[in-house]
Amino acid sequence: MSSISKPSVRHPSAQKNQIGLSKADYEGAMSTLCAGCGHDSVTAALVQAFWELDLPPHRAAKMSGIGCSSKTTAYFMKQSHGFNAVHGRMPSVTAGANAANRELTYIGISGDGDSLNIGLGQLAHAIRRNVNMLYVIENNGVYGLTKGQFSASADLGSMSRKGEVNEQTPIDPVLLALTLGATFVARSFSGDKSQLVPILKAAMTHRGFALVDVISPCVSFNDHEGSAKSYAYMRRHEVETVMTDFVPLRREIKVPETHEEMTVVRMHDGSEVRLHATAPGYNPRSRDMAYRHVQACIRKGEVATGILFIDDAGRCMHDMQRTVPTPLAHLPFEQLCPGSAALNHLMERYR
Amino acid sequence: MSGINDFAFKSATVNGTGSASANTLLMQAIFRMGIPVTGKNIFPSNIQGLPTWYEIRVSHEGFTARPPVIDLIVALNPSTYPQDIASLRPGGYLMYDSSWPLDPKLVRDDVTILGVPLGQMCREAFTRDRDRTLLRNIAYAGALAALLQIDMAVIEQMLTENYGRKKSLLEANHRAVRMGYDYARRHFDCPLPFRCEPMNETAGAVLMDGNTACALGALYAGATVGAWYPITPSTSLMDAFKEFCQEFRVDPDTKLNRYCIIQAEDELAAAGMVIGAGWMGARSFTCTSGPGISLMQEFLGYAYYAEIPGVFINVQRAGPATGLPTRTQQADLLTMAYASHGDTKHIILFPADPRECFTLTVAAFDAAERFQTPVFVASDLDIGMNDWMMPRLTWDDGYRPDRGKVLDAAALEQVKNFSRYLDADGDGVAARTLPGVSGKGAYFTRGSGHDKHGAYTEDSAAYAEVLDRIRRKLETAAHTLPKPVISRQDGADVGIVFLGSSEAPVREAVVRLREHGVRADAMRICAFPFAPEVREFLDRYKTLFVVEQNRDAQLRALLTIETGFPRDQMIPVLDFAGQPMTADELVTAMSTHLAGASA
Ligand SMILES: Cc1ncc(C[n+]2csc(CCOP(=O)(O)OP(=O)(O)O)c2C)c(N)n1
Ligand code: SF4
């Protein structure tokens, strides 16, 4: 993965967050993606979200697979360890890392090819395992890094830059996640930072696997007429289903002005997510409703965005594994090795 | 051969009919009589219905290889009668269930046939169908106890230990074993010329299989994350690890686990989990077999190049593909040595028996962290799933895990700028940092080109520098890994090179060769990359045999590639049919060659 280090210019009066860091502290290396790539907007949203969350960068681990999208992890929070895994296999590495140290915050960034083609199995099983992580798919419907082949999320009938028509039905990550029992499912658009930032914050705070599908246009291979993942297409067809407010713990809680129905979800750390349904009667706690709504939008050629489903009672991998709260990687050897007397005793069983 | 405390017998049954407990009972009873004994399970890839055998070898000399001849067969599977009778040595005995007649065509003049109406006796003695089937096995154990003079008091004691809490079961087992015993005593000349007499050769020993021993090794080494996907013959390893963890790793107050075992969706994921956990600083491992290793290759190359520890226990089975999944081989040597694409080379440790499964699994965790690289433990089905007699395992409470070069927060304070892949000590090993400790130690782990600072690069020189340092690191490893075990005799001009489970037949073959006037030195290779002693050994002999259990002489190839020793000067002795080797076949192969060479 290529990157260029960024000169660190700091304005002395740059605004600091609760832990005394400015937004620049959440930046990473300079992006080497194509100018205008949607993924860079996602990076900007991530920087904003983590800064607003007061996340200590060194307590986070940035995980990704392979693809243009997977390079994103280099472009934010340079003070976090990063892991650029192999193509499609970031979920397993994250599950292992998380098994070893449950205290860190895990941020996984992947592409639609990485997640829905080569990595579909690992994505599905990370959902089933409910690994505690934020999982962002930067979804552009194509393989960017290998120059423009259709990915599994390419819409039926959409056209490649070379004029080929996609004849295979797409895999929709949101429907997939809902079907597999994901406990947090959202969709957004890279061009809509005001929506994306609160979604990312809520997803980060969710205990368990939080899938955020971000439509993120590829200007080099999929931003033309005939693409269903272009900027123009998204501007015309995005429908916000649920408006999100994220109210962190510690901050003054302002009740947002709203006229619609509102769902308040209390997150694991005590912060709140307030979901305002813009679709009439929408209840983001109903998996069935989410499924029906997303499908109805797809049928109409619309893209439903917002936090579409949230189940705050889900048990994450460590709950299911019944592991101790101390990170396994930090347990003292004395607590792990039964010692010579126990071995001696054990040997009697093999007589 | 074939005398007091020196014989072999075999049961021929049908998979899934419960003969395992009878076989274990017999073997353990002989063991408790102080007589060296080993058992080998020759089983089909099937849950129920196909032929299966269990061979028990009794050897006062302590030989644990497959027996050279079979003295007695308990034939309970009519479909293999012809094969079973044919496999007996002249003068041997066949015991069969005479509830049904034996085809007279099968009778051999030089074999004594002993009919025991096992089925009929059990039908009369027990009412439930299940008992009638299962206890038939215990009844033959009783008959064998009479024929082979196995101490009935020991057998009855063991039944009490096994079924003590289930009174009716215990009573039924006692009856069945007595029934067989009494029948044999009444109808046959008991005991047979070859039989057991108490010795005192097993006092400090135990009977254990290699998978259990590897699991104990992982437990004692402090492994906390196990990720795996089920595959024969490695499954029982993670099962055993789980059981040990449940016994020793549950927080007494909260009842929460100090371990995490993840059944992955496939071996790709299992490898990813091992690497993720290793990167995070936990001791992590997987167990698998050949097909699983194939799937793990991409990650193995990644971990090699990004320098992440992890232990990969390969319980080898016969391949390629699904091959013979319940049979043994040593045919993944080249695969393990160079797993993945590009320039890779992996550390492999080769246990020869369950005891070494324990010690080398611990060593594997140390090597993995010390050299920040994947480490294989190359076991096989013979070691992994068969019960071996071995000295009791011991543990040094002074042991502390070698965590390798890890900079903690205080150490990071001392460095100006942390560089991930810098060879500060000249041993090829760079220091690493663990996530979550400090922003100063943060770095980006990548499988793509990086320089010594860990930064992305496509610069040829910077890339080559890192790859070359990793080569030096592996050279350092070669000097610290377990040395080859060499046994010498005065005036030997024949050398035998081998590894792993070939130890038992080679050790016996060396003794037999000596009886034929051939003096051979033997070197057992315990680790790859090879220590310098390996090449030194090769250089000493007029005749060199390389014994291994694969078709293409992979160990010989590896020796040539890595030491430069001419391939043609090593005579391959190969067995790849899927069964553990016998000493006899080795002696025959080597003496035939030597006779040809001197003719
Ligand atoms: C095993 C393997 N096969 C193929 C590749 C080549 N490859 C690199 S990225 C990529 C596709 C990436 O597409 P996507 O995940 O959609 O990300 P984007 O580049 O569009 O952001 C492919 C096929 C690889 N790196 N590894
Ligand atoms: S090829 Fe597409 S996805 Fe890749 S960087 Fe360029 S615009 Fe972004």
Side-chain angles (χ1 to χ4, degrees), chain A residues 1 58-59 81-84 89 106 122 129 321-322 324 335-336 339-340 343-344 348-351, chain B residues 28 202 205 207 220 247 249 257-258 261 265 268-269 273 280 302 392 397 433 436 443 445 448 456:
Chain A
M1 165 199 326
H58 77 281
R59 300 294 289 165
H81 271 70
F83 197 119
N84 217 184
R89 322 288 175 197
Y106 292 88
Q122 294 220 337
R129 245 169 233 126
Q321 292 278 353
R322 300 186 49 76
V324 289
Q335 285 190 15
L336 300 174
S340 63
L343 189 61
N344 213 9
E348 289 309 313
R349 275 183 222 167
Y350 300 93
R351 287 286 303 160
Chain B
Q28 240 175 321
T202 65
L207 283 175
Y220 272 74
E247 187 169 350
R249 289 273 193 81
N257 299 329
R258 293 185 182 133
I261 297 171
E265 57 270 32
L268 283 78
M273 289 166 189
M280 199 44 85
Y302 183 100
R392 292 167 69 103
D397 286 321
T433 57
Y443 67 94
T445 304
S448 44
Y456 177 83

Side-chain angles (χ1 to χ4, degrees), chain B residues 152-164:
Chain B
M152 273 298 266
V154 176
I155 290 190
E156 295 191 323
Q157 164 68 22
M158 289 180 48
L159 289 176
T160 308
E161 285 169 25
N162 292 349
Y163 304 107

Side-chain angles (χ1 to χ4, degrees), chain B residues 506-585:
Chain B
V506 169
R507 185 161 59 90
E508 189 176 347
V510 166
V511 175
R512 302 277 171 257
L513 280 169
R514 208 186 149 104
E515 288 162 9
H516 288 84
V518 177
R519 283 159 193 263
D521 289 353
M523 171 173 70
R524 176 160 66 85
I525 289 170
C526 299
F528 178 85
F530 301 129
E533 288 85 345
V534 169
R535 168 81 206 220
E536 284 162 31
F537 183 91
L538 301 180
D539 285 329
R540 294 170 78 110
Y541 302 92
K542 221 170 72 197
T543 311
L544 258 181
F545 293 105
V546 180
V547 175
E548 49 186 317
Q549 300 175 43
N550 60 68
R551 185 193 64 183
D552 294 335
Q554 295 187 24
L555 173 58
R556 186 180 70 151
L558 213 48
L559 287 166
T560 297
I561 297 170
E562 295 289 330
T563 71
F565 189 83
R567 185 180 125 102
D568 296 345
Q569 291 179 29
M570 295 181 276
I571 303 141
V573 180
L574 308 171
D575 184 337
F576 52 93
Q579 304 289 7
M581 296 187 296
T582 64
D584 276 20
E585 62 185 292

Side-chain angles (χ1 to χ4, degrees), chain B residues 26 36 42-43 50 61 81 130 146 153 199 217 254 290 306 330 342 387 413-414 436 465 521 542-543 582:
Chain B
L26 288 165
I42 294 153
F43 62 109
L50 291 183
E61 292 168 285
Y81 278 4
R130 206 178 137 69
M199 291 176 76
T254 61
Q330 302 171 320
D387 277 321
E413 283 300 310
Q414 308 300 312
E465 186 185 354
D521 289 353
K542 221 170 72 197
T543 311
T582 64

Side-chain angles (χ1 to χ4, degrees), chain A residues 33-34 37-39 68 140 144-145 217-221:
Chain A
L33 303 180
C34 308
C37 175
H39 302 350
C68 297
N140 53 18
L145 198 64
C218 169
V219 286
S220 294
F221 300 106

Side-chain angles (χ1 to χ4, degrees), chain B residues 149-352:
Chain B
Q149 201 169 272
I150 301 169
D151 193 338
M152 273 298 266
V154 176
I155 290 190
E156 295 191 323
Q157 164 68 22
M158 289 180 48
L159 289 176
T160 308
E161 285 169 25
N162 292 349
Y163 304 107
R165 267 167 290 155
K166 300 176 200 135
K167 220 167 174 243
S168 63
L169 204 61
L170 176 65
E171 201 270 327
N173 272 274
H174 273 305
R175 254 173 83 195
V177 83
R178 270 287 157 196
M179 220 157 58
Y181 183 81
D182 292 343
Y183 187 93
R185 292 285 294 242
R186 249 181 287 127
H187 294 84
F188 312 131
D189 262 347
C190 292
L192 297 176
F194 52 88
R195 58 174 184 266
C196 298
E197 269 174 20
M199 291 176 76
N200 195 15
E201 289 296 314
T202 65
V206 289
L207 283 175
M208 187 182 275
D209 67 65
N211 284 354
T212 304
C214 277
L216 274 174
L219 180 82
Y220 272 74
T224 50
V225 178
W228 68 300
Y229 188 76
I231 184 169
T232 303
S234 73
T235 300
S236 64
L237 200 164
M238 200 56 89
D239 287 348
F241 181 68
K242 186 170 189 174
E243 279 175 29
F244 290 132
C245 283
Q246 283 167 348
E247 187 169 350
F248 295 107
R249 289 273 193 81
V250 177
D251 184 301
D253 300 327
T254 61
K255 305 283 176 256
L256 295 173
N257 299 329
R258 293 185 182 133
Y259 64 91
C260 181
I261 297 171
I262 309 178
Q263 185 186 321
E265 57 270 32
D266 54 33
E267 287 87 348
L268 283 78
M273 289 166 189
V274 168
I275 288 164
W279 175 72
M280 199 44 85
R283 289 197 150 187
S284 60
F285 76 106
T286 187
C287 58
T288 188
S289 194
I293 299 290
S294 300
L295 289 183
M296 293 175 179
Q297 300 251 342
E298 190 187 16
F299 261 132
L300 283 162
Y302 183 100
Y304 171 82
Y305 181 49
E307 303 185 59
I308 301 171
V311 171
F312 295 75
I313 303 175
N314 180 9
V315 191
Q316 295 169 92
R317 66 188 211 183
T322 309
L324 301 179
T326 59
R327 301 296 153 86
T328 196
Q329 260 182 5
Q330 302 171 320
D332 300 341
L333 303 183
L334 289 166
T335 298
M336 287 187 282
Y338 306 117
S340 203
H341 49 281
D343 282 311
T344 52
K345 190 183 289 187
H346 302 291
I347 294 174
I348 316 173
L349 302 179
F350 300 101

